[in-house]
Amino acid sequence: MVKKKKKGSKPYKKDSKYRKDNGPVKAKKHLGQHFLKDEDIAKQIADTLTLDGYRNVLEIGPGTGVLTKYLLQNEIDLVAMDLDSESIVYLNQNFPLEHPEILGNNNSFKVLEADFLKYDLSTLFGSEPFAITGNFPYNISTQIVFKMLEWRHQIPEFTGMFQKEVAERICAKEGNKTYGILSVFTQAYYNAEYLFTVSPEVFDPPPKVLSGVLRLTRKENHDLDCDEKLFFRIVKTAFNQRRKTLRNSLKTFELSNILKEDTIFDQRPEQLAVADFIGLAKKIANDTV
């Protein structure tokens, strides 16, 4: 789907106002902030959103708005959520004055001071679908994904930047040593794509790790064909003892001797695809001791 661009939007000049020595907002270590200062990378992240079937977007951790202004070149309704009060003041007061051409009739922009992990997302866009994107604080990035999964029925797309290792873990396939609980839970409902790697020097201050940008696109049928609570329990239990075979790690499920003869129990959790875990949940649900 071709994105709808705001009529008359103008390209942005690259500048240096986001440098630490003269930036409008200072990065705060306790919030895990690393402000993106590379305009090209910001545009690439904004372009990861397909805007297919939705126009509502939630940006988490907008900071100095370097990504925000590229998001607003599209015909969207954007909510930028940040816990940093200094960032909120800047985005409310200075940002609209610096970029008046992108705040028009074809989009809307709201700034919200809030903690995403504690916020009731139903108050943002009602029952309408919305996407999530952002340069996520690395210290809470996995928690952001788990909360997003709780709202999966309303979120068709999720994109953004993580620590590279976390992004790779989310997108990892079975047989990979980084494949785990986060991989399985995410890929049960979304198709995961690792898009590109970002080096530390494009941030202020630069992190000590590489970063990775990914896109999650919700599967057409995102209701699992099994007892979901049982599925979650099986996956967590199996990976909590990932070096053991399923026959040993799932002993607490009190499986019948007949079921335990199934060859799937000879495998370790990282060898099972998402579909295998779903099938296993169905087998255990139908098991009679």
Side-chain angles (χ1 to χ4, degrees):
M1 178 176 176
V2 178
K3 294 184 182 181
K4 296 180 180 178
K5 295 285 185 180
K6 182 179 181 296
K7 295 180 180 179
S9 63
K10 301 176 182 179
Y12 291 97
K13 296 180 180 179
K14 298 180 182 180
D15 54 49
S16 60
K17 67 174 176 290
Y18 299 103
R19 292 180 303 177
K20 187 174 183 179
D21 56 354
N22 63 353
V25 183
K26 303 301 181 185
K28 298 166 186 62
K29 186 175 182 179
H30 72 280
L31 293 178
Q33 291 176 326
H34 297 277
F35 292 148
L36 181 64
K37 61 182 182 180
D38 188 296
E39 302 279 345
D40 291 332
I41 297 296
K43 186 178 186 306
Q44 289 180 53
I45 296 174
D47 288 343
T48 61
L49 292 176
T50 66
L51 304 181
D52 187 0
Y54 65 88
R55 67 169 287 139
N56 300 314
V57 178
L58 171 62
E59 181 189 1
I60 299 174
T64 57
V66 65
L67 171 60
T68 309
K69 64 177 180 284
Y70 287 105
L71 293 171
L72 285 171
Q73 289 189 68
N74 301 296
E75 295 181 6
I76 63 173
D77 296 324
L78 177 66
V79 173
M81 181 183 292
D82 208 303
L83 194 56
D84 183 1
S85 58
E86 189 179 17
S87 175
I88 295 298
V89 170
Y90 169 73
L91 291 172
N92 271 321
Q93 297 181 5
N94 298 81
F95 182 80
L97 298 177
E98 294 173 3
H99 307 288
E101 69 276 16
I102 56 174
L103 300 176
N105 296 327
N106 294 326
N107 60 33
S108 68
F109 177 49
K110 178 181 178 182
V111 181
L112 192 60
E113 184 175 358
D115 183 345
F116 171 78
L117 299 179
K118 299 177 181 178
Y119 198 80
D120 180 2
L121 300 183
S122 66
T123 64
L124 293 178
F125 305 107
S127 59
E128 296 180 2
F130 64 95
I132 293 178
T133 193
N135 173 23
F136 304 120
Y138 294 168
N139 56 348
I140 60 167
S141 60
T142 56
Q143 294 169 270
I144 288 174
V145 174
F146 282 126
K147 178 162 182 177
M148 180 276 295
L149 291 174
E150 295 175 7
W151 292 83
R152 58 188 176 274
H153 296 294
Q154 216 171 325
I155 302 175
E157 196 166 56
F158 177 99
T159 75
M161 184 147 52
F162 293 79
Q163 181 176 332
K164 184 174 184 285
E165 291 180 355
V166 176
E168 290 176 333
R169 194 187 318 152
I170 293 170
C171 299
K173 298 298 182 183
E174 67 277 10
N176 190 305
K177 65 179 181 180
T178 61
Y179 181 71
I181 294 173
L182 187 61
S183 320
V184 176
F185 285 175
T186 303
Q187 294 176 43
Y189 304 102
Y190 289 83
N191 294 314
E193 304 171 80
Y194 185 95
L195 300 177
F196 57 92
T197 301
V198 180
S199 59
E201 59 265 21
V202 303
F203 296 94
D204 177 26
K208 297 179 180 179
V209 296
L210 293 171
S211 302
V213 175
L214 58 72
R215 174 168 52 225
L216 305 178
T217 306
R218 192 177 61 196
K219 294 179 178 180
E220 186 173 342
N221 183 7
H222 52 276
D223 290 318
L224 303 189
D225 184 26
C226 67
D227 181 328
E228 292 192 359
K229 289 184 178 180
L230 179 59
F231 170 79
F232 293 149
R233 184 182 162 208
I234 290 169
V235 174
K236 287 180 179 179
T237 304
F239 277 104
N240 282 338
Q241 301 181 71
R242 63 181 302 141
R243 293 188 177 183
K244 294 184 177 181
T245 64
L246 295 176
R247 185 172 289 105
N248 291 318
S249 63
L250 299 183
K251 282 182 178 180
T252 56
F253 286 80
E254 298 181 353
L255 307 175
S256 68
N257 290 329
I258 294 177
L259 180 57
K260 284 189 288 187
E261 291 176 3
D262 193 307
T263 55
I264 194 171
F265 290 96
D266 295 328
Q267 300 185 73
R268 293 180 174 83
E270 68 268 17
Q271 296 175 283
L272 272 63
V274 173
D276 296 326
F277 276 109
I278 293 174
L280 180 58
K282 293 167 71 173
K283 290 179 179 180
I284 293 178
N286 295 324
D287 186 36
T288 54
V289 179

